[in-house]
Amino acid sequence: MSDNTPILELKNVDKSFGPIDVLHDISLKVRAGEVLCLLGDNGAGKSTLIKTLAGVHKPTRGTILMDGEPVEFSGPRDAQEKGISTVHQFGGTFPLMSIGRSFFVGVEPTRGWGPFKVYDRKTANEIAVKAVQDFGITRIDDGDRLVGGLSGGERQSLAIARAVHFGARVLILDEPTAALGVKQAAHVLRIVNEAKRRGLAVIFITHQVMHAMAVGDHFAVLIRGAIAADFRRGEKTREEITDLMAGGETMADLEAQIETYMQSHEGQPPPPAQ
Amino acid sequence: MNTRNSVLASSVPSGGESIKVTIGQFSRRPEAGSLLGLIAVFVFFALVGGKVFLSPAGYASWLNVAAEIGIVALPVGLLMIAGDMDLSIGAVIPAASLTVAIISGHYGLPEIVGISAGLGIGLLVGFFNGYLVNRTGVPSLIVTIGSMFGVMGLTLGLTVLIAGSTGVSLVPGPTIKAILGDFVGGMFQVTIFWWLLFVAAFFQLLHVSPVGNWIFALGGDKVSARNAGIPTERLTVALYMLSGFCAAFVGVSQVLVYQSAQVLAGQSFIFNSIMCVVIGGVLLTGGAGSVVGIVLGTLTFAIVNQGIYFTGIDPNLGSVIIGALLLVAVMMNDKFRLMAMSYATKKKK
Ligand SMILES: Nc1ncnc2c1ncn2[C@@H]1O[C@H](COP(=O)(O)OP(=O)(O)O)[C@@H](O)[C@H]1O
Ligand SMILES: [Mg+2]
């Protein structure tokens, strides 16, 4: 396998839910040691795209290739076993479970055999804590602590460390920085860089251009389910990317519109769109 | 919650320091509240109910009640931890009783046939519940209310059709009676010992085996659990079948104890089992709870339910006490959970 074969490739993938077409003709490539940033406004279809990659949805048309070979995922577990780990938006952690238990959900370490299998709490806690600390989150040192007691950034870090631990070759992160403060987001971005350094292919989804610019090697902008632009690091400026995401309407145009509105309405900003 | 395992599973504390840590840990667990409630209720009835309450007959009266509700409360609790309800148990209990009574009493077939059919009906209703919950996405509360009425109607209709009345009697043989329907020492139902067995099995399932983790995850966040590769649909069906089986078991043992089966015998179990579970610290919205808690809740409920007859108090006041306990329990559950979440463990060195 040449170094240049993408680990994961989408070829002309469409996805619809009954009559609702969500994705149109998506073609994308992800390579080892590279971060692909998937940008797009809310509702553009980012989550649907990565759920298709994660085995949650089946593509309506088109093919998914892994290491150049066509694959079909029978479910999330199948995708995971093939090396695709996903940290889904709004999920992946269980607030009322301990760090150790939530780290190993679905793949619990056990002792004993048959019906007398025993969940191995000690091993689970040790591995979970070590995996998170290896990513530089040293504040997590007790696997019995409840996930609900962690900060948002720590929870995301835990979820990412989990995905990497279970042999991910492709790491998919759906808006991991969306609900985080500046400092915590920086934390998560550092972890993304660390995963990339370890040779993983990372698909990083966000609608914050700054976060994408900080880690991305390769960018794809999704508008209403289609890829509107596909470019590499350094080929576009921050303003250009922001304009692309806004759907062609440049930010400068928008600002001018608001300015005109305020002038004609005694300095009142326009009401928010409904 | 999962920290509860730590106390049971961690090594024996060696010094005063670790004992303090253990007590500290315990006080943050929802069972702490349930245990306090149980002690309070016991002491109250021991003082007011006096000698009779503390006599073997007194113990037998509430242990017999606890055992029957307890066997149903265990799977109802597991379902609640997994984020689901099962009200159909109220119809499965009499359905199983009558199946045994009709097959082995009315038709005189071997008891083993009647009992197998009775338990089989529980498994079947459970499978049906789980399947519908998965397929329709309708809240399980509604699905199981529906199946409760369905099973109730079928039981009533078929019983009247076959036996010509709403009650059927059965005189069990000595072996089966000894195993499932006897009174030890003349007053303790063997059901109590069966309950202990069920408790051990459920403890193993929820807190020792890896499947327990799936149940917590399912109730914590169903979508995330599925995404993590847990077979959520099969797990849901299995839990409902377990619940159907346990309800049928109680139905079977009732007909062997009382030697007759009545169509409306299971209704009280619906709310009572839910109350035992909630008083035992299981979170109504799922994701947290424990077998020890469910057992404590069941004992508390049974003591109030029966203890009231040992006092001069109007028995209707017992319901008031149980209602109040339920409210306090739910409020305490929330408090304990917040404490457990906000707690960052100190270095254990
Ligand atoms: N299971 C589904 N059934 C029908 N429509 C869906 C489903 N999942 C997503 N959609 C629709 O697809 C569109 C894209 O959603 P999503 O992928 O979540 O966007 P994003 O993550 O970019 O904000 C939305 O309009 C949403 O309503
Ligand atoms: Mg999304």
Side-chain angles (χ1 to χ4, degrees):
Chain A
M1 173 178 65
S2 84
D3 232 12
N4 249 350
T5 314
I7 297 189
L8 199 61
E9 181 174 357
L10 289 175
K11 264 195 184 154
N12 313 104
V13 166
D14 291 351
K15 174 73 202 169
S16 33
F17 298 101
I20 310 163
D21 291 325
V22 179
L23 299 176
H24 322 278
D25 201 26
I26 305 282
S27 295
L28 274 178
K29 290 175 184 165
V30 209
R31 295 191 166 83
E34 236 185 49
V35 178
L36 165 68
C37 286
L38 204 54
L39 293 152
D41 212 349
N42 282 332
K46 305 182 297 294
S47 296
T48 306
L49 174 55
I50 58 101
K51 279 181 187 158
T52 310
L53 286 175
V56 177
H57 300 319
K58 288 200 170 50
T60 311
R61 269 176 298 278
T63 32
I64 303 176
L65 304 172
M66 253 194 119
D67 300 315
E69 303 286 325
V71 281
E72 257 183 60
F73 304 121
S74 62
R77 185 162 216 156
D78 187 30
Q80 202 168 328
E81 273 159 14
K82 292 191 165 108
I84 300 177
S85 273
T86 310
V87 179
H88 290 278
Q89 189 175 14
F90 317 119
T93 55
F94 305 88
L96 291 168
M97 292 176 80
S98 72
I99 289 171
R101 277 180 175 261
S102 113
F103 193 89
F104 280 98
V105 152
V107 280
E108 293 77 9
T110 52
R111 289 180 282 122
W113 49 269
F116 303 106
K117 264 196 203 138
V118 172
Y119 165 73
D120 191 346
R121 165 181 154 272
K122 202 158 158 276
T123 308
N125 286 358
E126 278 173 13
I127 296 176
V129 167
K130 181 168 184 311
V132 187
Q133 293 201 339
D134 282 351
F135 272 109
I137 313 286
T138 46
R139 274 198 51 215
I140 296 182
D141 58 2
D142 179 359
D144 279 331
R145 243 178 97 183
L146 297 188
V147 171
L150 302 178
S151 73
E154 286 169 338
R155 276 201 226 182
Q156 278 294 343
S157 307
L158 177 69
I160 297 174
R162 175 180 196 276
V164 173
H165 177 82
F166 290 106
R169 293 175 61 213
V170 181
L171 177 63
I172 302 175
L173 308 173
D174 193 0
E175 307 227 13
T177 57
L180 302 185
V182 179
K183 230 173 151 176
Q184 302 210 0
H187 232 107
V188 171
L189 293 175
R190 212 173 317 135
I191 289 185
V192 170
N193 269 328
E194 169 65 17
K196 168 181 154 180
R197 199 190 57 75
R198 294 194 192 179
L200 275 78
V202 182
I203 302 178
F204 179 80
I205 292 164
T206 182
H207 57 246
Q208 282 150 302
V209 182
M210 284 290 278
H211 294 165
M213 303 274 289
V215 293
D217 297 300
H218 185 177
F219 303 81
V221 179
L222 211 59
I223 296 179
R224 271 170 266 113
I227 296 201
D230 189 341
F231 52 93
R232 298 196 67 80
R233 186 184 197 98
E235 290 175 7
K236 285 206 186 339
T237 65
R238 199 184 130 203
E239 285 72 28
E240 286 172 319
I241 302 177
T242 315
D243 292 347
L244 267 169
M245 280 173 64
E249 204 171 7
T250 66
M251 211 58 196
D253 282 350
L254 271 176
E255 275 163 14
Q257 272 177 28
I258 294 171
E259 193 62 29
T260 331
Y261 184 95
M262 281 170 73
Q263 271 168 10
S264 59
H265 289 77
E266 295 155 355
Q268 296 292 319
Q274 80 289 23
Chain B
M1 242 157 306
N2 314 292
T3 40
R4 75 175 43 91
N5 264 1
S6 58
V7 167
L8 297 158
S10 64
S11 52
V12 183
S14 47
E17 176 77 354
S18 0
I19 286 173
K20 231 186 282 162
V21 169
T22 310
I23 292 172
Q25 278 177 356
F26 182 73
S27 71
R28 270 184 306 279
R29 294 140 68 89
E31 293 94 332
S34 310
L35 184 63
L36 285 182
L38 174 61
I39 293 173
V41 159
F42 184 85
V43 168
F44 174 80
F45 284 104
L47 291 178
V48 183
K51 272 209 187 71
V52 201
F53 178 75
L54 293 172
S55 72
Y59 277 94
S61 76
W62 54 266
L63 278 174
N64 289 342
V65 167
E68 286 190 359
I69 300 178
I71 291 176
V72 182
L74 288 165
V76 166
L78 253 60
L79 272 169
M80 199 182 281
I81 294 172
D84 279 317
M85 293 281 216
D86 187 359
L87 304 198
S88 70
I89 50 147
V92 170
I93 293 172
S97 289
L98 281 158
T99 305
V100 180
I102 288 173
I103 291 181
S104 304
H106 186 75
Y107 288 122
L109 290 169
E111 279 143 345
I112 189 73
V113 177
I115 290 172
S116 306
L119 296 178
I121 281 189
L123 290 171
L124 194 72
V125 175
F127 177 82
F128 183 73
N129 283 333
Y131 180 83
L132 277 189
V133 167
N134 285 336
R135 271 311 100 124
T136 62
V138 172
S140 55
L141 180 78
I142 304 298
V143 169
T144 58
I145 287 181
S147 59
M148 177 190 74
F149 276 99
V151 173
M152 192 67 81
L154 278 176
T155 309
L156 186 60
L158 288 174
T159 304
V160 171
L161 191 72
I162 296 170
S165 77
T166 56
V168 182
S169 62
L170 165 78
V171 183
T175 323
I176 286 295
K177 177 134 184 79
I179 296 173
L180 283 165
D182 223 348
F183 287 88
V184 177
M187 54 181 100
F188 294 94
Q189 281 182 29
V190 283
T191 321
I192 297 169
F193 300 95
W194 282 104
W195 180 37
L196 293 179
L197 267 181
F198 275 85
V199 168
F202 274 84
F203 186 88
Q204 154 84 21
L205 179 68
L206 187 64
H207 299 299
V208 181
S209 89
V211 175
N213 215 31
W214 300 4
I215 296 174
F216 285 114
L218 181 61
D221 181 348
K222 194 171 192 164
V223 176
S224 295
R226 185 174 326 128
N227 288 338
I230 292 174
T232 51
E233 301 210 331
R234 258 190 298 150
L235 185 60
T236 302
V237 170
L239 287 173
Y240 274 106
M241 288 178 74
L242 194 58
S243 163
F245 177 85
C246 290
F249 185 91
V250 170
V252 168
S253 78
Q254 275 190 342
V255 73
L256 297 175
V257 171
Y258 307 121
Q259 313 213 345
S260 89
Q262 302 296 327
V263 171
L264 292 173
Q267 300 276 320
S268 64
F269 279 79
I270 302 172
F271 278 122
N272 292 355
S273 64
I274 293 176
M275 283 195 278
C276 294
V277 166
V278 174
I279 291 173
V282 174
L283 185 55
L284 259 171
T285 45
S290 75
V291 168
V292 173
I294 296 170
V295 171
L296 294 175
T298 306
L299 289 172
T300 309
F301 175 86
I303 288 177
V304 178
N305 188 275
Q306 293 299 301
I308 203 85
Y309 296 108
F310 295 89
T311 67
I313 308 170
D314 178 354
N316 292 319
L317 273 179
S319 304
V320 179
I321 299 180
I322 288 173
L325 271 174
L326 189 74
L327 267 181
V328 173
V330 172
M331 291 189 300
M332 292 225 301
N333 288 354
D334 286 341
K335 252 242 151 52
F336 278 109
R337 206 168 33 258
L338 284 179
M339 277 167 65
M341 292 235 268
S342 61
Y343 176 72
T345 337
K346 294 177 206 83
K347 291 263 155 47
K348 282 176 261 174
K349 272 179 188 156

